[in-house]
Amino acid sequence: MSRKGTLLRGLAAAAAGLVAIGFAAAPAQAKPHHEPATEPIVIAHRGASGYMPEHTLEAYKLAIGLGADVIEPDLVLTADGELVARHEPMLSGTTDVAEHPEFADRKTTKTIDGKAVTDWFADDFTLEELKTLRAEERIPDLRPQSAAWDGQFQLVTYDEVLDYLDATGSDVLTYPEMKHPSYYDEMGMSIEDALADVLEERDLDEEDSPVWVQSFEYPSLVEIDERIDNPVGLNIGGSGAISDADLDLYASTLDTISLNKDRIVPRDADGYLLEPTDVVDRAHDRGLNVHVWTFRNENSFLPADFRKGTKPGKWGDYRSEYELFYDLGVDAVFSDYPDKAVAAR
């Protein structure tokens, strides 16, 4: 089903560092792109994760009720190959796994992104076992309103999210992110195949299906794009300029780049905003959509320009931050508080 065939197999290897050597001199045929939305799209980041524990069905339901256009399930694999909505394979930060003595011996050390991590890992549990855990708020000191729901919600699979949307007739899109694909590759597992299987089985693998696919790993997107025709986008963290050569590569093989806010409007050492970069315009000139993450209301996450008072959990002038990025022409924003993103829009 690939639109790009064997060329992309070569690009996957060449792009391990997100740069294809010599690509600019001999660009591939550009991928056909979707027209940008007439107004910015609001993506509920991990559901309405400012109000309820992230990646629960309840957080997704709330996000839909608050007017989100898209909900974002991050996906990890279980021991029996199921796709569960979690931000990372590690479980202790967002579940009560540490309170389950029957799973004490599952705590172990593994290497993720080149770093040794000691925790409980979703891929050491079957789905049935994970269903005995309950979700917890990641940052309870900043979000006591969300932490009040700790212990009440099960973990949810991507299939269950799609079942809910089908049952309610919702036209909200899902934007699944494949987390740490290379981590699974090293264990002989394929998160790309798992997601492609789900989409194919549900006839959601077409260009106009209400599903977009994302990852931080470019080769992973190249791989899954050989099986599905859905729009695909690369997440790019950090700060600093993105070269024209890289944008040319992305425009030939992807639909979207999804950027850390600092890539668009940098901050100085004290957290104050600097002049915007031109990356949005350069990406648009190449037919790429530009999404940006993550918008949060609390002072801890806002630029110093928009903070109110000194309390980290106090809400600052979040509306001005939305307006800044909307004015710069971004196509979509990821928000923990999707109702606020909608209101600012």
Side-chain angles (χ1 to χ4, degrees):
M1 298 176 65
S2 172
R3 294 180 293 277
K4 292 162 285 294
T6 57
L7 170 65
L8 288 180
R9 286 293 187 190
L11 282 178
L18 298 182
V19 177
I21 298 173
F23 178 82
Q29 182 177 354
K31 177 174 179 172
H33 292 290
H34 300 269
E35 291 297 320
T38 56
E39 62 179 9
I41 292 167
V42 172
I43 302 165
H45 182 242
R46 311 179 198 174
S49 56
Y51 297 115
M52 285 185 164
E54 65 188 45
H55 290 315
T56 58
L57 187 58
E58 290 75 11
Y60 298 136
K61 290 178 181 178
L62 179 59
I64 295 168
L66 294 176
D69 305 299
V70 182
I71 56 174
E72 185 223 14
D74 294 326
L75 301 179
V76 302
L77 283 169
T78 68
D80 46 350
E82 298 290 337
L83 290 167
V84 171
R86 291 286 94 193
H87 182 255
E88 63 273 311
M90 297 80 76
L91 297 170
S92 66
T94 58
T95 78
D96 62 355
V97 65
E99 300 170 23
H100 286 253
E102 68 273 26
F103 299 137
D105 61 350
R106 305 285 178 92
K107 191 173 186 179
T108 188
T109 299
K110 299 189 179 187
T111 301
I112 296 185
D113 294 339
K115 297 180 181 179
V117 180
T118 300
D119 210 296
W120 290 265
F121 293 82
D123 45 280
D124 290 329
F125 292 74
T126 66
L127 177 59
E128 183 179 6
E129 289 172 328
L130 288 177
K131 282 293 188 178
T132 68
L133 306 182
R134 294 296 179 267
E136 293 186 346
E137 169 56 41
R138 180 184 296 275
I139 44 176
D141 291 343
L142 294 182
R143 294 178 174 172
Q145 75 278 7
S146 176
W149 296 98
D150 283 1
Q152 299 191 41
F153 306 138
Q154 282 190 340
L155 308 196
V156 64
T157 66
Y158 185 45
D159 266 319
E160 289 170 326
V161 174
L162 295 174
D163 286 343
Y164 172 77
L165 296 178
D166 285 345
T168 59
S170 174
D171 59 359
V172 165
L173 280 72
T174 64
Y175 199 175
E177 180 185 338
M178 299 178 291
K179 303 300 294 190
H180 303 286
S182 57
Y183 164 76
Y184 294 112
D185 285 345
E186 291 170 1
M187 295 187 293
M189 304 173 77
S190 173
I191 196 167
E192 297 88 357
D193 284 346
L195 179 55
D197 287 346
V198 168
L199 297 181
E200 289 175 354
E201 289 165 4
R202 290 176 169 268
D203 295 324
L204 290 174
D205 58 337
E206 301 299 328
E207 186 176 6
D208 60 352
S209 298
V211 178
W212 306 336
V213 174
Q214 57 177 323
S215 176
F216 276 90
E217 297 186 24
Y218 177 79
S220 177
L221 294 170
V222 170
E223 180 176 342
I224 196 169
D225 193 62
E226 297 222 343
R227 288 192 56 187
I228 65 173
D229 288 331
N230 306 69
V232 293
L234 178 67
N235 300 332
I236 305 174
S239 58
I242 300 174
S243 72
D244 285 339
D246 283 348
L247 289 176
D248 288 340
L249 170 63
Y250 304 149
S252 71
T253 52
L254 307 173
D255 297 276
T256 298
I257 54 172
S258 182
L259 305 179
N260 184 320
K261 289 184 291 189
D262 289 352
R263 294 278 188 175
I264 299 173
V265 186
R267 304 182 190 185
D268 67 18
D270 296 316
Y272 287 92
L273 295 170
L274 300 172
E275 286 297 311
T277 70
D278 63 354
V279 68
V280 174
D281 289 339
R282 290 191 295 125
H284 282 166
D285 287 345
R286 291 164 169 80
L288 285 165
N289 287 326
V290 179
H291 301 174
V292 56
W293 45 271
T294 302
F295 290 81
R296 299 176 167 115
N297 298 358
E298 296 87 358
N299 279 332
S300 286
F301 306 109
L302 288 170
D305 316 64
F306 300 143
R307 297 171 194 160
K308 293 182 178 179
T310 59
K311 294 182 178 179
K314 180 179 174 60
W315 287 11
D317 183 14
Y318 58 83
R319 187 183 184 97
S320 290
E321 187 181 37
Y322 285 116
E323 291 171 351
L324 169 63
F325 283 85
Y326 287 161
D327 287 346
L328 290 171
V330 301
D331 300 291
V333 297
F334 287 79
S335 175
D336 288 4
Y337 297 95
D339 55 327
K340 305 307 181 187
V342 170
R345 181 179 65 185

